[in-house]
Amino acid sequence: MMIVNEIKLIEEDVLGPGRRVGVWFQGCSLRCKGCIVPELWKSEGKEYTPEELFSIISSFKIKEVSLSGGEPFEQDKNDLLKFLKLLKENDYGIWVYTGYTLEELIEKNFEELLIFIDVIVDGRYVEELNDGKPWRGSSNQRIILLSERYSNVKVPNKRKIQMEITENEIIIIGIPPKDFLKNLKNNLNHKEILIKF
């Protein structure tokens, strides 16, 4: 089983090129300082088999997916492998955001999973290195092509985020600029709108 927090449609150029389906896994032992989603550190959430998760993703009718978290590579390895195979067999483009470096993943024997992934964005998030560049949180992180699928894609000039406001919450999708949450909170509080993070 894999533990998932959220499955959502991502609009253009937020976590990879174009519209895509985002999957946020639950559970991360890396716990980077300044992480935008510390609520995903605990391994608690809805459990899915590879087939169940693939069925939900395929219902969006979009052949691009971004996997994030939490930490995707801390899910059950066999189930994650089956899930990646299902995606690739059905011609999905796969981006994976991981706090591990490519070298660490190879050292941990994840090569058999890496062959199904088109792009990984790797490395720990380092708050002091958040330079506002698109598709990664900090300048130490690399956007690594593992296949030719995205070889002609150009990285946009600036970082974008997607915000969804519901009755109960504000959901931020993507990698916000440095101090974004603090500035948002201050601006809303200044307008007498109470916001908690």
Side-chain angles (χ1 to χ4, degrees), residues 65-81:
V65 65
S66 289
L67 309 179
S68 190
E71 174 53 56
F73 289 100
E74 291 184 5
Q75 298 301 307
D76 179 88
K77 188 175 181 180
N78 290 329
D79 282 345
L80 185 58
L81 177 60

Side-chain angles (χ1 to χ4, degrees), residues 68-197:
S68 190
E71 174 53 56
F73 289 100
E74 291 184 5
Q75 298 301 307
D76 179 88
K77 188 175 181 180
N78 290 329
D79 282 345
L80 185 58
L81 177 60
K82 286 179 196 169
F83 174 60
L84 291 170
K85 279 183 180 178
L86 275 170
L87 290 171
K88 196 46 70 184
E89 286 167 2
N90 288 278
D91 196 37
Y92 278 79
I94 305 168
W95 280 56
V96 178
Y97 284 82
T98 176
Y100 293 104
T101 63
L102 178 60
E103 294 78 12
E104 287 173 320
L105 292 172
I106 291 168
E107 199 174 285
K108 291 175 176 283
N109 298 315
F110 279 103
E111 295 99 330
E112 63 183 323
L113 282 77
L114 295 173
I115 61 173
F116 297 103
I117 297 168
D118 298 296
V119 175
I120 66 166
V121 182
D122 79 335
R124 313 295 192 277
Y125 172 68
V126 179
E127 194 170 25
E128 297 76 24
L129 298 179
N130 184 339
D131 60 1
K133 298 280 167 100
W135 296 346
R136 58 181 175 74
S138 53
S139 60
N140 62 298
Q141 295 174 323
R142 303 173 294 178
I143 300 170
I144 303 172
L145 298 178
L146 299 178
S147 80
E148 295 297 312
R149 184 173 181 127
Y150 295 101
S151 59
N152 294 322
V153 170
K154 293 185 177 157
V155 179
N157 293 327
K158 63 186 223 179
R159 190 184 289 179
K160 297 178 185 179
I161 60 167
Q162 175 180 323
M163 289 182 72
E164 295 179 9
I165 300 172
T166 70
E167 188 176 312
N168 300 316
E169 60 188 353
I170 297 174
I171 301 166
I172 298 170
I173 300 172
I175 305 162
K178 190 173 184 179
D179 297 325
F180 173 81
L181 293 177
K182 182 174 79 174
N183 293 335
L184 176 65
K185 182 177 180 181
N186 289 341
N187 287 332
L188 291 175
N189 286 346
H190 181 70
K191 293 178 170 57
E192 297 183 10
I193 299 170
L194 180 62
I195 186 167
K196 294 181 182 178
F197 295 112

